[in-house]
Amino acid sequence: MIGQRPRDEAAAFQALGPLIDGRAGLVNIVTRIPRMTGRHRFPIYTASMGNPASLLPGRVDAPLPLTWAGMDGAGTGLTDDPARLTAAVEAVERYSSCVWDNEQFIWDTGRNLGREALDLDTVPRCSAEELAHPACPLVAPDPAAPMRWVRGVNLMDGRPCWVPAVMVYLHIPFVSRAERFWLPISTGTAAHFDYDEALLSAALECVERDSLTLTWLQRLPLPRIELDVTTPELDRATAMAERAGLRTWHFDATTDLGIPTVYSVDVDPQSTRVHTYVMCATDLDPRRAVAKVMRESSSGRLSMQYQKPHDKPLDEFGAVFDGAVHMAVAERRHAFDFLLGSPGRRTLSSMAPDVPDSARERLAWVLGRLAERGCTAYAVDVTSDEARSVGLRVVRVLVPELMPLSFLHRARYLGTPRLYAAPERMGHGPRSESDINPWPQPFA
């Protein structure tokens, strides 16, 4: 930690004040979304950044072009203060993940860097069948091909190391064919006033996206969670969610890593366009994970109301909401039967591991669980000058052995060993590429 950590959400938001100004601030405005339907129960805020693309040279050439709202932050909570703070911090986080200088990079091959770099043989990859498809934009990772690398740290042993730049930054253009092994995505990016808290949040998001992807691609019949323990926060979230009139199922999506993860499916019986929606959350306290999926599902459903129905062919699915819009309609609810019809049950209390109290010790615990499964973890400090000026620290954590989330239907990294090994270790039996879920990813 550097500087004095704010005592609460209101003080933290006040600390961000110098960055929020409609005339010349990094963030234009942080505002609450008005309640438009009975389905919208939790306070939801957005933090607008306008269009900063002109300030970020080269970003217009990125594989996923930067749109005017591409870096806006969003936040939801039980009350206004945490929702407003989350939205503002997320906006600064996204901005920071798009800021770099070419002087940070070296140009080299993974083979030449050797043990001083992240091992490209460990990163997710598309299968041979995917790579052969004309709609797949990716190539296999090649340790012998040159690309840009940025300095980071190996979290397992503390050694400095080099990490592929395209795995760290968002809206970064490819400058060589070798860099096309990866689709830039925000997974594993987190901001906090404390480095350990930021690293912990980032690592947990990597675990969350791994579980979310495994669940959908392998159609895992997860056990439904029985809420036998609670907290005041969970009680309040449950009451707010119930007033929305949705039917919600929570599932234990904890993988072989043993880090508590909750996957939810909620159904709006009164809607045909945004009928079914999914959410996922990882937290060392499974009670907080359940409360989090309730809050974020509310925010996600609201975003879905602004998405236009489309009839794109699967080959063109690549935007964040493409799969979610396609799968949300009532006529495709049957695609979720592998979850909704699962006979398994698990109590929430049985999901809670024995973990230490401090953020640093919790981070060490998470890294230990990853190491037990043969995973590595790397971190890069991507804090922008603006974030640093108000005491925020922004980090990017990579766990290359885990499954990434992909919105591109023809590049789902189906050649990654964990996609088949993890379900078998979890007791779901052997799987092959022919068993992969044909439906697009419904998460957004």
Side-chain angles (χ1 to χ4, degrees), residues 66-127:
L66 183 61
T67 61
W68 70 271
M71 293 198 300
D72 286 357
T76 183
L78 296 178
T79 59
D80 288 273
D81 282 350
R84 183 179 59 169
L85 175 63
T86 300
V89 169
E90 184 174 273
V92 178
E93 172 194 308
R94 290 186 177 183
Y95 169 79
S96 295
S97 68
C98 297
V99 178
W100 71 86
D101 189 308
N102 285 323
E103 293 298 319
Q104 295 174 257
F105 304 147
I106 63 169
W107 180 262
D108 212 329
T109 70
R111 182 169 298 166
N112 190 49
L113 292 172
R115 288 176 51 83
E116 295 183 17
L118 180 151
D119 185 355
L120 290 178
D121 287 335
T122 67
V123 303
R125 62 203 58 233
C126 291
S127 67

Side-chain angles (χ1 to χ4, degrees), residues 121-182:
D121 287 335
T122 67
V123 303
R125 62 203 58 233
C126 291
S127 67
E129 183 176 337
E130 284 184 295
L131 293 172
H133 196 285
C136 179
L138 300 186
V139 300
D142 184 359
M147 66 178 71
R148 291 167 299 175
W149 301 77
V150 64
R151 203 62 161 164
V153 63
N154 185 325
L155 290 176
M156 298 303 188
D157 58 19
R159 289 187 300 110
C161 65
W162 295 102
V163 178
V166 293
M167 297 184 75
V168 174
Y169 296 100
L170 293 180
H171 303 292
I172 182 171
F174 298 136
V175 298
S176 71
R177 184 176 186 275
E179 292 186 340
R180 300 185 70 90
F181 74 92
W182 187 256

Side-chain angles (χ1 to χ4, degrees), residues 310-380:
H310 63 76
D311 56 358
K312 293 181 182 179
L314 286 176
D315 287 4
E316 296 179 12
F317 277 39
V320 171
F321 283 97
D322 280 348
V325 170
H326 185 78
M327 298 305 299
V329 296
E331 65 192 75
R332 297 192 178 94
R333 177 176 167 176
H334 63 88
F336 301 85
D337 285 349
F338 71 94
L339 284 167
L340 300 181
S342 173
R345 298 292 184 271
R346 182 153 300 152
T347 59
L348 186 61
S349 60
S350 68
M351 294 174 57
D354 184 16
V355 295
D357 293 329
S358 73
R360 179 163 297 184
E361 290 173 320
R362 286 173 175 246
L363 174 62
W365 185 88
V366 169
L367 293 175
R369 298 309 300 254
L370 292 170
E372 288 174 11
R373 285 299 175 197
C375 296
T376 53
Y378 304 85
V380 178

Side-chain angles (χ1 to χ4, degrees), residues 74-299:
T76 183
L78 296 178
T79 59
D80 288 273
D81 282 350
R84 183 179 59 169
L85 175 63
T86 300
V89 169
E90 184 174 273
V92 178
E93 172 194 308
R94 290 186 177 183
Y95 169 79
S96 295
S97 68
C98 297
V99 178
W100 71 86
D101 189 308
N102 285 323
E103 293 298 319
Q104 295 174 257
F105 304 147
I106 63 169
W107 180 262
D108 212 329
T109 70
R111 182 169 298 166
N112 190 49
L113 292 172
R115 288 176 51 83
E116 295 183 17
L118 180 151
D119 185 355
L120 290 178
D121 287 335
T122 67
V123 303
R125 62 203 58 233
C126 291
S127 67
E129 183 176 337
E130 284 184 295
L131 293 172
H133 196 285
C136 179
L138 300 186
V139 300
D142 184 359
M147 66 178 71
R148 291 167 299 175
W149 301 77
V150 64
R151 203 62 161 164
V153 63
N154 185 325
L155 290 176
M156 298 303 188
D157 58 19
R159 289 187 300 110
C161 65
W162 295 102
V163 178
V166 293
M167 297 184 75
V168 174
Y169 296 100
L170 293 180
H171 303 292
I172 182 171
F174 298 136
V175 298
S176 71
R177 184 176 186 275
E179 292 186 340
R180 300 185 70 90
F181 74 92
W182 187 256
L183 290 170
I185 193 170
S186 64
T187 298
T189 309
H192 202 280
F193 290 93
D194 179 274
Y195 263 129
D196 292 323
E197 292 280 10
L199 289 167
L200 176 60
S201 295
L204 290 178
E205 186 172 67
C206 293
V207 173
E208 171 196 304
R209 301 301 169 83
D210 170 76
S211 175
L212 189 153
T213 301
L214 288 173
T215 295
W216 186 253
L217 291 183
Q218 294 291 15
R219 287 181 281 195
L220 302 181
L222 304 175
R224 192 181 305 175
I225 296 173
E226 297 176 349
L227 302 181
D228 64 324
V229 291
T230 189
T231 63
E233 175 193 17
L234 180 53
D235 282 340
R236 187 171 179 183
T238 300
M240 295 173 75
E242 288 176 348
R243 288 198 297 271
L246 304 174
R247 295 189 62 195
T248 303
W249 293 262
H250 299 105
F251 302 89
D252 179 9
T254 306
T255 67
D256 57 328
L257 299 175
I259 302 173
T261 302
V262 174
Y263 190 103
S264 72
V265 179
D266 63 49
V267 172
D268 183 348
Q270 298 182 21
S271 174
T272 57
R273 189 169 69 86
V274 189
H275 182 78
T276 311
Y277 191 71
V278 305
M279 188 52 62
C280 190
T282 296
D283 196 292
L284 297 184
D285 184 339
R287 298 170 300 180
R288 284 202 300 263
V290 173
K292 183 179 179 182
V293 294
M294 290 180 183
R295 297 193 309 269
E296 296 195 347
S297 182
S298 177
S299 175

